[in-house]
Amino acid sequence: MAASCYHCGAPVEATAPWSITLDGQRHPLCCPGCEAVAQAIVGGGLDSYYRFRTALPERPSPTPADEARYQVFDDPGLQDRFVRQDGDTKVATLAVDGITCAACAWLIEHRLNALDGLESCAVNLSQHRLQVRWDPERLSLSRLLAEMAAIGYPSQPYEPDQAQQRLKQQSRQMIRRLIVAAVGMMQVLMFSIPHYVDGGDLSSEFERLFAWLSLALTTPVVLYSAKPFFVGALRDLRTRVLGMDVPVALAISGAFVASTWSVVSDSGDRYFDSVSMFTFFLLFGRYLESRARTHYGRSGNALASALPSAAVRLDEQGDERVIPASRLVPGDRVRVSPGAQIPADGNLTSGLAQIDESLLTGESLPCLRRQGDTVHAGTLCMDSPIEVMVTRIGDDTRAAGILDLTDRAFSHRPRIARLAEQVAHRFVLNLLVITAMVALVWSLIDPSRSLWITLSVLVVTCPCALALATPTALTVAHGRLRRAGVLVTRADALETLACLDRVVFDKTGTLTRGRMQLAEHRPLSDDEGSATNGEMDAAAKRRHLALAAALETGSEHPIARAFADWRDASCQASELRNHPGQGVEGVIDAQRWRLGQPHFACLGQPVPELPGAGLWLLLACEGKPQAWFKLDDQPRDDAAETLAALAQRGLAIEILSGDRAVNVGQLARTLGVDQWRGEATPEDKLGHLKARQAQGEKVAMVGDGINDVPVLAGADLAIAMAGASDLTRTRADLVLLGEPLTGIVEAIEVARQTRRIIRQNLSWSVLYNVVALPAAALGFVPPWLAAIGMSLSSLLVIANALRLRRGRTRRTATPSPVTASPGP
């Protein structure tokens, strides 16, 4: 008889290696997931859960429930899987059911923000996720889940696989509703055509038969296909927030009830064709909009689900053991088979490997990685088995960092999106008032036409297009940029990007490759500061290089990587300190050493003459020069092309670097840049940027190092390179995920196109309502035509937004170098 899983009760195969030990007894488990949960429960000191339980856990009910129903999610052991501690607050991401539009996001945030203890909440409309931050001393997670269920949005902790499954189920259900509405509409129209064509000359028997058949066919359309509109309207009325579903539900229910009464009493007009047509077109528009949001937000969900749940860990003898990926720790060795995903960030310890990094960088071609290179969690091993030494796991991986930045981008909607939502909410209230006035006036003028004219006003002016105009365009733009290797991390980034006047670039690691190589080493005499004669002593060379490597330990600047291969365990530095734009210093063997700019290293003592052109760093002990190091760094292949493309689009280009002026000027001449400045400290950079902004310019800063953080924070728009430090990426508004600089040109092109499309959508929505409302109120628009007009208006907005997906950045030829002069 097969054993059952001690955690969930599922059958356990005889060869299954997973288990949990409790009270000295081993209990079998069916999978790594159950093992991870069981370990979390026992590790959290909650092993009494297994000792005193009387039955296996039940699957939670999907129906709304009170707070007690959700108290299981307050268990610390379970919360370790999906809740992150941030100071005195907790942060979690929830998967939310029932979201249809921006009004839903507003309602959720409005309701939760009223709870005592909630620090913040933000809905990711594209991916149906909610990020909440709360004070656990005043508010529990079960209360949050209960509140979400109470307002009609059942939620649960976000797990990528389950979230994707729920989205697929919702999509299938929407398709079924759409099919029912389409079949009902076609059949009802078929029964209505004889009435319109014959002008009412049908025999009374056929007229009544067609009326009853129309009622029978329209009933499932109203009760099943139109159900989301009624559910949404009831939720809006219960929470006293008028959304788009209110006029839609009023129009459908009013027309259906009036038509049903007409059939039963055999008097009056019938609007079954208008009801079914309105429902179908509205559902079709929402379906297209939902597909667009899901498709272009899919990269975020794909990234969240990229980390595999299991990993093959190698022990000291090289034996393999499959364990939950969550149990990996830095220092573990893992083996990844061809076609499998890497479970954690780490260093490649085997030979060459082809790694598919498209999920992180947008680059479709595999990248060649060598022994010692860094590989990232979620990327795909292509050709041969590899071994990786784990350095970062879980939330510390690059994939998790990108996902966190993506969620931050959706945590606050752009100004133009917030404005559009406010207009849409107010429009609904005004629409209901106008509709009531139209109904009253026509009841006095011609009571027989009052009902269908009122319905036409409700239908034709439904603000769906207005509400879809901005979020659809932004979602498609984010998706396109994500595929191009550009991650938008702040809500207003696209809006700022579209109106830039100047782009300022750092030099090292930004316009250059950032892969510094040691080109030359010149020792100096202690007393003269001049070059020694004869061949350099090999031991002295190794000593100088080891000292420089020790000083650069822990630095993330590209210069530090040039000395990485010369690190010596016997040479350790203490009291390390980084001076941005100047160099590094530390204490070695009770002496203070400095490496960097000559005047910085010499501590006010005479500075030796530079050996020649290029990037030279001076190593000094207590201010006495010891050795020169020359480093080489080549411009990026696409640097000149990118700068030319930006200039072609009317942007001023400038290089602002802490490197020597001669080196900056040489690079500027190579790239054809007229405005540049070298030997600038972080304070100089920030002051220069503020001066540009004082002249009325919108300035973007592109950088990669910690020394760029102050100027990035002061810029109107901050862009971080792919290899930027963690601190730099968290301060950036845009992050380039791949090496190409052309992503900046793509981002500006998309931002400008997005601005144009949003303006077109809003203009069309306003113009349509200005024309359609008076026409419907005057009785020129029958209900069936109102349904078509409203639906076509929404579809036009969606189709216009989808044009963003087809654009491509125009390439420009690399210009010939021009003479550069120092900038102000």
Side-chain angles (χ1 to χ4, degrees):
M1 181 176 179
S4 59
C5 178
Y6 187 67
H7 178 72
C8 70
V12 178
E13 297 180 1
T15 59
W18 306 287
S19 65
I20 183 70
T21 301
L22 187 64
D23 296 334
Q25 183 176 357
R26 179 183 176 276
H27 301 281
L29 298 170
C30 65
C31 65
C34 284
E35 185 179 52
V37 174
Q39 292 284 3
I41 292 175
V42 174
L46 302 171
D47 44 357
S48 57
Y49 163 77
Y50 291 110
R51 295 191 183 95
F52 301 110
R53 67 178 179 179
T54 58
L56 292 173
E58 298 180 357
R59 186 178 299 274
S61 171
T63 58
D66 56 10
E67 184 176 349
R69 183 72 175 177
Y70 293 94
Q71 284 183 350
V72 64
F73 292 104
D74 292 336
D75 185 282
L78 293 180
Q79 284 194 5
D80 286 342
R81 296 175 54 191
F82 51 83
V83 175
R84 175 168 54 89
Q85 190 76 30
D86 188 3
D88 296 330
T89 62
K90 289 186 176 182
V91 182
T93 300
L94 307 178
V96 185
D97 293 334
I99 293 181
T100 59
C101 65
C104 299
W106 186 91
L107 173 59
I108 292 172
E109 293 175 1
H110 181 73
R111 179 64 176 262
L112 294 186
N113 283 329
L115 297 177
D116 179 43
L118 187 78
E119 299 292 335
S120 65
C121 68
V123 175
N124 185 328
L125 186 60
S126 299
Q127 300 169 11
H128 294 194
R129 298 209 301 259
L130 169 68
Q131 188 179 68
V132 290
R133 180 186 298 271
W134 74 96
D135 182 356
E137 298 295 329
R138 295 183 291 159
L139 185 65
S140 63
L141 180 59
S142 60
R143 173 71 186 284
L144 286 170
L145 295 173
E147 288 290 338
M148 290 292 293
I151 59 176
Y153 297 98
S155 309
Q156 57 183 310
Y158 174 73
E159 296 182 14
D161 293 339
Q162 295 181 9
Q164 287 288 347
Q165 187 64 28
R166 282 193 296 273
L167 288 177
K168 290 181 180 178
Q169 291 176 354
Q170 291 176 5
S171 179
R172 287 195 294 266
Q173 188 176 47
M174 184 176 291
I175 292 175
R176 287 194 292 267
R177 296 185 192 277
L178 192 59
I179 292 174
V180 171
V183 173
M185 178 190 69
M186 290 187 293
Q187 295 300 321
V188 171
L189 284 176
M190 184 180 68
F191 293 134
S192 302
I193 289 175
H195 173 76
Y196 295 127
V197 172
D198 291 342
D201 293 335
L202 284 175
S203 64
S204 59
E205 291 81 5
F206 276 107
E207 185 80 28
R208 190 159 182 81
L209 174 62
F210 288 165
W212 280 100
L213 288 175
S214 297
L215 172 61
L217 290 168
T218 307
T219 299
V221 174
V222 173
L223 297 183
Y224 177 69
S225 297
K227 181 181 177 181
F229 308 132
F230 296 116
V231 173
L234 289 175
R235 179 181 62 231
D236 292 345
L237 294 174
R238 187 167 58 245
T239 56
R240 298 180 181 180
V241 178
L242 296 180
M244 292 181 298
D245 289 330
V246 174
V248 171
L250 286 175
I252 294 175
S253 59
F256 181 71
V257 170
S259 302
T260 302
W261 173 253
S262 175
V263 173
V264 173
S265 64
D266 196 17
S267 63
D269 295 325
R270 294 182 288 272
Y271 311 100
F272 293 121
D273 52 347
S274 298
V275 170
S276 57
M277 189 182 303
F278 176 52
T279 303
F280 170 76
F281 281 126
L282 189 59
L283 280 175
F284 186 60
R286 287 199 175 182
Y287 173 72
L288 291 181
E289 188 264 343
S290 175
R291 283 294 301 270
R293 286 193 289 106
T294 302
H295 177 75
Y296 290 101
R298 188 176 299 165
S299 59
N301 282 331
L303 192 62
S305 59
L307 304 184
S309 58
V312 179
R313 185 173 64 186
L314 302 177
D315 58 20
E316 294 179 356
Q317 289 74 34
D319 295 332
E320 298 181 357
R321 169 72 188 276
V322 179
I323 65 170
S326 59
R327 289 177 54 187
L328 290 174
V329 296
D332 282 347
R333 284 192 306 140
V334 296
R335 177 169 294 162
V336 184
S337 303
Q341 289 176 313
I342 299 174
D345 288 359
N347 296 323
L348 189 65
T349 58
S350 53
L352 297 177
Q354 293 281 347
I355 305 296
D356 181 359
E357 299 181 347
S358 58
L359 191 66
L360 298 182
T361 66
E363 175 60 50
S364 58
L365 297 177
C367 302
L368 181 64
R369 294 290 179 255
R370 296 176 172 81
Q371 184 174 0
D373 287 350
T374 299
V375 293
H376 298 287
T379 56
L380 195 66
C381 175
M382 298 294 293
D383 52 0
S384 59
I386 62 173
E387 293 183 9
V388 177
M389 180 69 71
V390 175
T391 57
R392 294 183 176 183
I393 61 172
D395 292 340
D396 295 329
T397 62
R398 185 181 181 189
I402 292 175
L403 182 62
D404 185 61
L405 291 175
T406 304
D407 286 338
R408 188 180 74 182
F410 288 96
S411 62
H412 295 91
R413 283 178 290 281
R415 181 187 59 84
I416 190 171
R418 296 193 299 269
L419 179 61
E421 290 174 16
Q422 294 172 4
V423 172
H425 291 317
R426 294 173 182 173
F427 184 84
V428 172
L429 179 59
N430 294 330
L431 170 62
L432 296 179
V433 174
I434 293 173
T435 303
M437 295 174 60
V438 170
L440 177 61
V441 172
W442 277 100
S443 65
L444 299 176
I445 299 175
D446 187 353
S448 63
R449 303 178 63 191
S450 176
L451 178 59
W452 72 261
I453 290 177
T454 303
L455 294 176
S456 296
V457 172
L458 279 173
V459 172
V460 79
T461 55
C462 180
C464 296
L466 184 62
L468 294 175
T470 300
T472 305
L474 290 175
T475 300
V476 177
H478 279 240
R480 176 179 162 188
L481 288 178
R482 177 64 183 82
R483 294 194 312 278
V486 181
L487 181 65
V488 181
T489 66
R490 297 194 188 277
D492 293 320
L494 286 180
E495 191 173 354
T496 305
L497 195 62
C499 57
L500 287 178
D501 300 304
R502 178 179 297 270
V503 182
V504 179
F505 289 87
D506 180 39
K507 172 183 170 287
T508 306
T510 302
L511 291 176
T512 62
R513 297 177 183 274
R515 300 187 183 98
M516 294 289 185
Q517 295 181 341
L518 185 63
E520 190 174 348
H521 174 202
R522 294 191 184 184
L524 300 173
S525 63
D526 291 339
D527 53 351
E528 299 178 356
S530 59
T532 59
N533 298 320
E535 293 187 359
M536 178 177 50
D537 181 73
K541 175 182 177 181
R542 288 194 300 270
R543 173 64 176 170
H544 287 157
L545 290 171
L547 289 167
L551 293 174
E552 294 286 0
T553 300
S555 174
E556 296 186 11
H557 196 279
I559 289 178
R561 290 192 282 270
F563 297 96
D565 294 337
W566 302 95
R567 290 177 183 170
D568 188 345
S570 63
C571 184
Q572 301 290 332
S574 60
E575 300 181 23
L576 288 173
R577 185 179 177 188
N578 180 27
H579 297 265
Q582 301 295 318
V584 293
E585 70 171 314
V587 175
I588 304 176
D589 296 334
Q591 293 180 310
R592 184 162 297 277
W593 290 80
R594 283 192 169 192
L595 175 67
Q597 299 282 0
H599 64 276
F600 164 78
C602 289
L603 290 173
Q605 299 186 33
V607 178
E609 183 179 355
L610 286 172
L615 176 59
W616 291 89
L617 300 181
L618 180 62
L619 176 69
C621 176
E622 301 292 349
K624 297 179 179 180
Q626 300 294 318
W628 285 106
F629 297 105
K630 182 180 180 181
L631 303 180
D632 282 342
D633 189 15
Q634 297 298 316
R636 293 179 184 268
D637 295 336
D638 60 347
E641 178 187 4
T642 299
L643 299 184
L646 293 175
Q648 189 182 59
R649 286 159 176 78
L651 295 169
I653 307 300
E654 188 171 0
I655 300 177
L656 193 59
S657 174
D659 197 2
R660 293 172 54 208
V662 62
N663 299 330
V664 180
Q666 182 179 357
L667 178 67
R669 285 188 291 271
T670 302
L671 300 180
V673 178
D674 292 327
Q675 300 183 56
W676 56 269
R677 180 176 176 180
E679 300 181 14
T681 65
E683 293 78 10
D684 294 335
K685 292 182 180 181
L686 184 59
H688 182 79
L689 208 70
K690 294 297 184 183
R692 293 294 189 188
Q693 292 170 330
Q695 297 172 6
E697 293 186 353
K698 289 281 187 179
V699 184
M701 177 68 193
V702 187
D704 72 318
I706 292 180
N707 61 315
D708 295 322
V709 170
V711 69
L712 285 172
D716 296 291
L717 186 81
I719 304 176
M721 299 298 295
S725 63
D726 293 340
L727 182 60
T728 305
R729 285 199 298 268
T730 58
R731 296 296 190 274
D733 303 303
L734 267 72
V735 177
L736 301 184
L737 300 178
E739 292 298 325
L741 274 172
T742 50
I744 300 175
V745 184
E746 179 85 4
I748 292 176
E749 192 79 3
V750 171
R752 291 180 175 180
Q753 190 178 358
T754 302
R755 180 178 61 179
R756 289 194 301 269
I757 285 180
I758 288 177
R759 288 176 176 177
Q760 292 168 3
N761 285 349
L762 292 176
S763 299
W764 162 252
S765 301
V766 172
L767 178 63
Y768 165 77
N769 282 285
V770 168
V771 174
L773 179 57
L778 293 174
F780 298 137
V781 183
W784 63 269
L785 184 57
I788 294 177
M790 184 281 306
S791 301
L792 289 179
S793 175
S794 299
L795 294 179
L796 179 62
V797 166
I798 295 172
N800 193 35
L802 292 180
R803 290 194 301 119
L804 281 166
R805 64 182 176 177
R806 294 191 295 270
R808 287 187 178 274
T809 303
R810 297 185 295 274
R811 299 280 179 171
T812 59
T814 303
S816 57
V818 297
T819 303
S821 59

